[in-house]
Amino acid sequence: MEGKSEMKRSSKLSLVTEKPETMHSPLALTFDAEIKRMTLEKGIAIGHVMAKLAAGTGITERHLYNYRSGKTDIPGCEIPILCKHFESNALAMALVGMCDVGEFDAQDAFDLADFCAASVSEMLAGGRVFIEAARDGTIDGHELIQIKNVVAMIVRNAHRTLEVATQMRERRVA
């Protein structure tokens, strides 16, 4: 009987020693690296860095340790806050690096023109939203939210345009 319980205990131990795949996420690894960088640059212990980070961001130390280990994913809205405290965009760039952008498949010049026309059309629609909101000389909270949404859409289109251009260049160079 002792052999079976010993075998069960050893199998549990082997499971504990194996790290789940989430602990190898680029965000968790980058977050950990940024914390270690701060300890080296400031010459202070990791615990002190975590305490200062918690105080400066409003994120609990427990959450920070969970982010560092990969046990919990870092919410996207906290990444800019953490980047400001690290004085580095490494965490944001790790997130960008995780995004797998699909290939833009332009069958002919018409597809490319259609893509450009849609981007320009959305940009002009955004301009209309801003003009309407500013028409009375003041912008209320609802109008500001509409403008923020339009800006996000325009930025998205700008980044997608850059991605398409980069893909087209890489295809030509290859």
Side-chain angles (χ1 to χ4, degrees), residues 29-162:
L29 294 172
T30 304
F31 186 66
D32 182 52
E34 286 289 86
I35 290 167
K36 289 176 181 174
R37 180 182 60 82
M38 293 300 289
T39 63
L40 291 173
E41 286 180 4
K42 307 283 186 196
I44 54 179
I46 286 178
H48 190 67
V49 169
M50 297 297 272
K52 286 181 77 170
L53 196 58
T57 62
I59 303 167
T60 66
E61 279 190 60
R62 177 179 294 280
H63 278 100
L64 293 172
Y65 278 106
N66 286 342
Y67 298 161
R68 184 173 175 221
S69 70
K71 183 176 180 181
T72 307
D73 288 332
I74 302 171
C77 62
E78 291 180 359
I79 290 176
I81 296 165
L82 293 168
C83 286
K84 285 179 185 169
H85 284 277
F86 288 134
E87 297 176 355
S88 162
N89 284 333
L91 200 57
M93 297 315 294
L95 178 63
V96 170
M98 292 171 61
C99 299
D100 186 22
V101 178
E103 281 286 318
F104 179 75
D105 188 25
Q107 301 296 324
D108 56 22
F110 182 73
D111 290 339
L112 189 57
D114 190 41
F115 170 77
C116 290
S119 292
V120 170
S121 175
E122 288 180 355
M123 192 177 293
L124 291 172
R128 277 193 301 277
V129 168
F130 177 73
I131 289 171
E132 277 299 313
R135 189 174 304 267
D136 63 358
T138 61
I139 295 179
D140 63 28
H142 176 70
E143 291 169 330
L144 185 60
I145 290 171
Q146 285 181 313
I147 292 168
K148 285 181 179 183
N149 288 337
V150 165
V151 168
M153 181 180 57
I154 291 169
V155 169
R156 178 206 64 206
N157 288 341
H159 284 289
R160 184 64 180 142
T161 301
L162 180 60

